Amino acid sequence: MAKRPSHYSEQSEQLKEDLRQLSETVEELVNATAKDASTEMSDLRSRAERRLKDTRSRLEARGEKIYTDTRDSLSQQVDCCDRYVHDNPWSSIGIGAAAGVVVGLLLGRK
């Protein structure tokens, strides 16, 4: 069975790309202004660097938390489904058969 990328996967990849481009732009700006020795410019540069690092770390932490929560939730749902099938085998067979009939009817209408 071929895996298709989900809509959320495409959105997350686009968000990652946008954030990567933004961080590269900020880094280029910081590097371009490195030659300016004024106090105000060095303060702005240090704040931009600090905020960029903070934002990166927060996004990485949030991404890891979302990934972990999603993985845990899916494994709990799979375990629950597995327990239901083992506890109610005939009901599970009936549900599968009914779903097969519905899909067969829908496909047969073409």
Side-chain angles (χ1 to χ4, degrees):
M1 198 170 177
K3 286 188 176 182
R4 293 184 305 177
S6 69
H7 187 330
Y8 295 116
S9 176
E10 292 171 6
Q11 286 180 345
S12 68
E13 289 301 318
Q14 181 62 44
L15 181 61
K16 287 178 189 176
E17 180 63 24
D18 291 345
L19 288 172
R20 187 186 61 76
Q21 289 178 359
L22 177 63
S23 67
E24 286 176 359
T25 304
V26 170
E27 286 174 355
E28 288 174 9
L29 177 63
V30 167
N31 292 335
T33 59
K35 296 174 185 167
D36 190 350
S38 70
T39 306
E40 183 179 339
M41 197 56 119
S42 64
D43 289 343
L44 287 172
R45 190 171 47 253
S46 65
R47 279 193 301 174
E49 288 175 341
R50 189 172 50 250
R51 285 185 181 167
L52 181 61
K53 288 177 185 176
D54 290 345
T55 302
R56 278 185 182 169
S57 64
R58 278 196 312 266
L59 287 173
E60 288 174 359
R62 190 174 297 157
E64 287 296 319
K65 182 179 180 344
I66 289 171
Y67 173 78
T68 303
D69 291 348
T70 302
R71 187 188 62 219
D72 292 345
S73 174
L74 285 175
S75 68
Q76 287 175 354
Q77 291 172 6
V78 166
D79 290 341
C80 181
C81 186
D82 185 53
R83 270 185 267 118
Y84 178 82
V85 169
H86 284 289
D87 292 344
N88 304 301
W90 289 108
S91 297
S92 302
I93 291 170
I95 291 170
V101 168
V102 170
V103 169
L105 288 173
L106 291 173
L107 290 175
R109 292 182 74 187
K110 287 185 175 184

